[in-house]
Amino acid sequence: MTARLDYFSTAPQAMEILVKQEHYFHHQFRESATMSMTIWELVKLRVSQINQCAFCIDMHSKDAIKLGEQPERLYGLNAWRDMPMYTDQERVALAFAETLTAAQPISETQYQEILNTFGEQSMVDLTLAINAMNSWNRVVKTFQPAVGSF
């Protein structure tokens, strides 16, 4: 395969927008009473699975393990609905991530469940984090950096 351009070098100011979002989410989810770094990593990994982004699946699996995530929960993530090892909060976040990633409408029931589970601030943060992960997946799938290079 032909090497593709380095998107960070080509458009550093544009990429900085996504990087700054990541810093914001890291701070928010580390400090949040309703969200957690674990949920954020599971969401990033699940969105990347849906988008079939090998680079991001590799990176976020490793990041989750560094945070102490159990490998079994990562293996089972693709079938999370049928696995007993995910919390109610994680299930709400994963369902929301799948709905947004598939560009499906959020029903009133799902909206209320997300709001009741996470509260207003974390719901907004989670929405933006899911959209950011979808953006990262699309950038990476376009320019195809080597899996494992980050």
Side-chain angles (χ1 to χ4, degrees):
M1 181 166 99
T2 312
R4 297 191 178 180
L5 64 87
D6 178 346
Y7 47 97
F8 273 97
S9 297
T10 304
Q13 290 176 316
M15 294 311 300
E16 185 63 21
I17 294 167
L18 289 176
V19 170
K20 283 182 179 179
Q21 278 186 312
E22 291 299 307
H23 290 298
Y24 170 82
F25 299 137
H26 183 81
H27 173 75
Q28 287 298 103
F29 297 150
R30 189 175 30 134
E31 303 294 325
S32 174
T34 57
M35 275 294 293
S36 70
M37 296 295 289
T38 299
I39 293 173
W40 186 37
E41 284 302 328
L42 290 174
V43 163
K44 289 193 285 187
L45 184 54
R46 183 66 190 121
V47 169
S48 297
Q49 288 175 338
I50 293 165
N51 290 326
Q52 299 181 12
C53 183
F55 179 91
C56 294
I57 291 169
D58 176 72
M59 180 171 57
H60 295 300
S61 295
K62 291 173 182 173
D63 288 347
I65 289 170
K66 285 179 192 171
L67 284 173
E69 187 57 76
Q70 297 300 310
E72 295 81 7
R73 286 172 33 96
L74 301 180
Y75 307 147
L77 190 57
N78 202 37
W80 64 267
R81 283 182 174 82
D82 298 323
M83 305 290 269
M85 60 189 83
Y86 301 99
T87 68
D88 290 340
Q89 276 188 316
E90 290 165 345
R91 291 175 181 283
V92 169
L94 291 167
F96 186 39
E98 288 183 356
T99 302
L100 281 183
T101 299
Q104 296 297 312
I106 305 300
S107 70
E108 187 61 30
T109 301
Q110 187 177 25
Y111 177 87
Q112 289 302 322
E113 182 178 41
I114 299 160
L115 184 59
N116 293 339
T117 300
F118 294 108
E120 292 176 356
Q121 178 69 48
S122 290
M123 182 179 182
V124 171
D125 289 340
L126 181 58
T127 303
L128 294 172
I130 293 165
N131 284 307
M133 194 65 237
N134 277 287
S135 292
W136 278 113
N137 288 165
R138 282 154 180 78
V139 168
V140 168
K141 286 188 63 99
T142 299
F143 299 107
Q144 299 181 353
V147 173
S149 63
F150 184 82

